[in-house]
Structure formats: structure tokens, C-alpha cells
Amino acid sequence: MGALSIRKVRKSYAGVEILKGIDIDIEQGEFLILVGPSGCGKSTLLSMIAGLDEITSGDVFIADRRVNDLSPKDRDIAMVFQSYALYPSMTVRENISFGLEIRKMPKAERDAAVDRVAQILQIEHLLDRRPSQLSGGQRQRVAMGRAIARNPALFLFDEPLSNLDAKLRVEMRTEIKLLHKRLGTTIVYVTHDQIEAMTLGDKIAVMKAGEVQQFGTPSDIYRNPANLFVAGFMGSPSMNFIKAKVCESGSGLGLEMESGGERFAFPAVNGEGLAAWKGREVIVGIRPEQITEVVDSHGDDPRVVRQSLPIVLSEPTGPDTLLLVHINGAKVTCRVCPDFAGVPGEKMALMFDLSKVVYFDPSTEQRIK
Ligand SMILES: Nc1ncnc2c1ncn2[C@@H]1O[C@H](COP(=O)(O)OP(=O)(O)O)[C@@H](O)[C@H]1O
Ligand SMILES: [Mg+2]
């Protein structure tokens, strides 16, 4: 067993099952992300790990120790929440020191711990201020300092950046990642933001309605989604989903496509699982970055196809331009270089890199492999 094991954990409130059997294992030093839409049970699962609320059934182990019956203070954890709840009448130094004091750490050791975290978080110049004299980002940093000072076996973060504005959120995200590299402590981090999940996690558990839909590394989850929900949730802009009929095409299988009245077929790349689907519709998943302007670098890779399509809408984001086209009635987003973006109402030659295309069963929404 490793740093944290969650075994068959269930939680019900008044007969309503909120967590429906969660199994997760991570190793010492790993950064685990719990991600999913609001209400899927992320905070509930974190409370089970923290011991803030009782588990209905199942077990939680922290550093190989079963903690079901231990109170939060005996679990060797530290938490940082969205609302950082600093004590307004205490200075930053006192805020960080307080948790150590109630654990009866001698003053000299406490002072040394505060100085150590202040240096790590670069808040040495703020130690004598009160929370009201700090910016949102500085307060968040103090809240983290309070957690780090304890030197716990496990950090628990619940959406710690969601109260910050967009720019600061990105900065703090980088800082948390650096901090994790530096401290090497195991972290469980809850977020509804899939970009935070991708950038921070060593492992990600994608949750929906009290269940883990997929557990894996960020690249595994991005490239190899288990089902339609995970595929659509991870990635921004979202993966495109096109319903298409599986047909014979050349020497193999293809997928029937139509746009602006023109019919064409894509080769069924990665379509080993599609043989049983001939004549029936599947959902084709292709990410926006795999539909671009035509570039020459692909040579004659048969997995890369070209198709001219009418552009419906153009959305410049700065680094890229997102073009909207319609295929089989679905809205499809393409990600092109702004210098080569086509004009709405006109056709543009697009390149489809199908090497990472995935397929889903329309009724079960599971991957067809
Ligand atoms: N103390 C509680 N009593 C009853 N229902 C609760 C309680 N806490 C959470 N829930 C319900 O559990 C579900 C999951 O909540 P939560 O874990 O906070 O979701 P998330 O953090 O993913 O947004 C929600 O439907 C919520 O209403
Ligand atoms: Mg929550």
C-alpha cells in the first residue's frame, strides 16, 4: 500500500447515496486530482479522507494506517480550502504559528517552522501584517503556509484557487506545482477546473455522480478517455463528437461524413473495434487541435486527410483561431493558426489528423476499442 488508499468508500446522507464505491490508490509524493462537475462528490470524498464526516462503508488508509476511526487531528493531514479562514486579529506569523502552538510545539521550534515556510512561500516581508492588509493571493499563500508548517503526511486542498481572479489563479497554480516539487509531500487536490487538473496532477480521478469514471495519468486520460463523459470533460475547447455511419471505404472501413451538402468518407483510423459496427452509427471523437490548416510536415501519413469545408464562424483567441464547421449536423471546432484562418461563408482546406481519433458507442457512451 502507498500514501493513500481509498477502498470501496460509500457515503449516504439520509438514504441518498453520494459516493457509490470509490477505489483510489496513490504512492508517496504523488499529486492526486479529484476533478468533476459541481455536486459530483469531490468535497464529500475529501471530507472522508480528512475525517470531517463519517464514512458509510469502506476504508481509508493514510500511510498504510487505517484511519476510519481516527479524528482529523490524529490523521497527520493539513487542509487548505477555498475560503482560507485566517484569524483576522492575528498577524501572519501568529496565523501560521497557531496550529503548532495548539499541538504544543515549543516556541523556538515554532519560530523556526514559521521562518522556514515564510521563506519557501516568499512571505517573509508579510509576517507582521494582519490578513486585512493582504491581497487575495497573499492570503491564500498564508493559508498554504499554515498547512505546510505542520509538515503533514498528506495535504488536502479543496478548490484553493477558485476565489482568485484568472491571472492570479494561473500564477498560484504554478507556485503550487513548484511547491509540490520542492516538498515532495503527497497531495489530494479537488478542482472542477480541468486545466488545473491536467497541469497539476500526477494522477487524476475524473468523477461524475459519486463515481470515478476514470483514474490515470493526465496524458492517459486526455489521449485515452474511457467514455464520452471523460472525453468531453477534459480538454478546452472540448473534443468534437460527430455521429457517423461506419461504411466500407477503399480497402478498409470508413466513416460517412457530410458538410454543406457534400459527402465524403474518413478512413476509420484506430478503428479495430469498428468491424461489428458496419452499417451502424458510432460517435467519432476528434479534438480541435487535430483539425488545422493544411501543413506539409505530415508527408503522406495515411492517417492525415484533407477536406475543404465551409466555415461557419471564426473566433480569434490570440494564439489560435477557432473555426466552426458543421459535419453531419454537429458543430465542430477546428484550431488553426490565425494567419491562415478562413473567412466565414467561404470554404477552407482543412487537415484532419486522425491518428488520435476515438470512437464511442452512442447508447452506452463507452469507448469502442
Ligand atoms: N451534509 C450533507 N447532507 C446532505 N447532502 C449533502 C451533504 N453534503 C453534501 N451533500 C450532497 O452531496 C453531493 C455532493 O456534494 P459535494 O461533495 O459538495 O460535491 P462537489 O464538491 O463535487 O461539488 C451534492 O448533491 C450535495 O448536495
Ligand atoms: Mg466541492
Side-chain angles (χ1 to χ4, degrees):
M1 269 190 285
L4 172 68
S5 291
I6 299 167
R7 297 283 163 83
K8 296 190 171 56
V9 164
R10 292 176 181 271
K11 177 66 182 176
S12 303
Y13 287 114
V16 181
E17 195 159 58
I18 303 296
L19 297 177
K20 301 171 183 168
I22 306 283
D23 285 290
I24 295 174
D25 270 282
I26 55 166
E27 300 298 325
Q28 159 61 32
E30 281 192 314
F31 200 131
L32 168 68
I33 299 277
L34 305 177
V35 68
S38 181
C40 71
K42 305 180 294 294
S43 296
T44 303
L45 182 55
L46 206 68
S47 321
M48 306 287 105
I49 301 169
L52 299 178
D53 208 343
E54 214 168 297
I55 299 171
T56 304
S57 69
D59 295 301
V60 175
F61 296 85
I62 296 174
D64 295 342
R65 184 170 61 138
R66 185 171 175 276
V67 296
N68 289 40
D69 306 317
L70 295 183
S71 73
K73 69 172 175 36
D74 296 326
R75 293 190 181 200
D76 201 12
I77 52 169
M79 291 176 266
V80 181
F81 294 108
Q82 178 179 349
S83 53
Y84 0 96
L86 300 177
Y87 301 106
S89 61
M90 293 185 189
T91 64
V92 168
R93 175 179 289 282
E94 288 161 348
N95 262 285
I96 297 175
S97 188
F98 185 64
L100 307 175
E101 200 174 331
I102 53 177
R103 282 178 174 72
K104 311 214 181 325
M105 187 187 275
K107 176 146 184 357
E109 262 179 64
R110 259 172 16 226
D111 286 346
V114 172
D115 290 338
R116 177 178 61 87
V117 302
Q119 194 202 349
I120 291 172
L121 293 168
Q122 293 163 15
I123 51 173
E124 291 136 307
H125 59 298
L126 305 176
L127 285 174
D128 296 322
R129 293 200 199 168
R130 286 179 207 286
S132 62
Q133 299 167 297
L134 303 176
S135 69
Q138 289 169 334
R139 278 182 220 171
Q140 187 55 270
R141 217 172 284 220
V142 174
M144 280 198 274
R146 206 165 46 175
I148 294 169
R150 298 248 317 278
N151 211 2
L154 190 60
F155 284 123
L156 306 177
F157 288 84
D158 194 348
E159 312 231 10
L161 306 185
S162 54
N163 279 347
L164 306 179
D165 65 51
K167 188 167 183 295
L168 193 56
R169 213 158 58 215
V170 173
E171 284 171 19
M172 289 299 286
R173 193 173 78 198
T174 308
E175 294 220 8
I176 290 178
K177 185 149 185 166
L178 286 170
L179 193 68
H180 175 248
K181 270 196 178 321
R182 181 159 181 183
L183 300 177
T185 310
T186 316
I187 296 180
V188 182
Y189 186 107
V190 165
T191 180
H192 64 273
D193 180 331
Q194 48 85 25
I195 298 186
E196 247 171 66
M198 288 291 298
T199 51
L200 287 173
D202 293 316
K203 296 277 172 61
I204 300 178
V206 183
M207 294 177 63
K208 180 190 166 196
E211 289 177 316
V212 174
Q213 300 286 312
Q214 190 170 1
F215 176 67
T217 63
S219 73
D220 193 32
I221 283 181
Y222 193 74
R223 291 194 189 161
N224 211 1
N227 57 41
L228 201 65
F229 173 78
V230 173
F233 189 77
M234 301 301 284
S236 176
S238 287
M239 183 184 276
N240 297 300
F241 296 127
I242 306 166
K243 271 195 177 170
K245 201 173 181 183
V246 179
C247 59
E248 302 267 11
S249 168
S251 56
L253 292 175
L255 294 142
E256 289 180 359
M257 300 285 171
E258 177 279 327
S259 180
E262 191 188 340
R263 296 183 175 281
F264 51 97
F266 281 158
V269 179
N270 305 335
E272 293 78 13
L274 292 184
W277 289 81
K278 219 182 293 178
R280 288 193 289 154
E281 271 191 343
V282 295
I283 296 173
V284 180
I286 179 163
R287 294 207 181 269
E289 63 267 29
Q290 259 103 52
I291 315 174
T292 61
E293 73 277 12
V294 174
V295 294
D296 290 331
S297 56
H298 288 272
D300 48 8
D301 186 338
R303 300 173 304 173
V304 178
V305 298
R306 297 171 184 205
Q307 183 67 40
S308 277
L309 296 180
I311 304 301
V312 179
L313 197 68
S314 171
E315 297 176 319
T317 69
D320 315 293
T321 294
L322 303 177
L323 296 179
L324 180 70
V325 299
H326 287 157
I327 302 178
N328 291 358
K331 292 193 177 91
V332 174
T333 302
C334 323
R335 194 170 192 167
V336 306
C337 171
D339 297 341
F340 300 102
V343 181
E346 293 181 10
K347 274 190 159 186
M348 175 180 167
L350 292 167
M351 195 170 82
F352 291 74
D353 174 359
L354 300 174
S355 61
K356 298 193 177 78
V357 74
V358 288
Y359 306 100
F360 301 94
D361 178 331
S363 56
T364 65
E365 303 192 346
Q366 296 301 307
R367 257 299 272 294
I368 303 170
K369 284 195 189 177

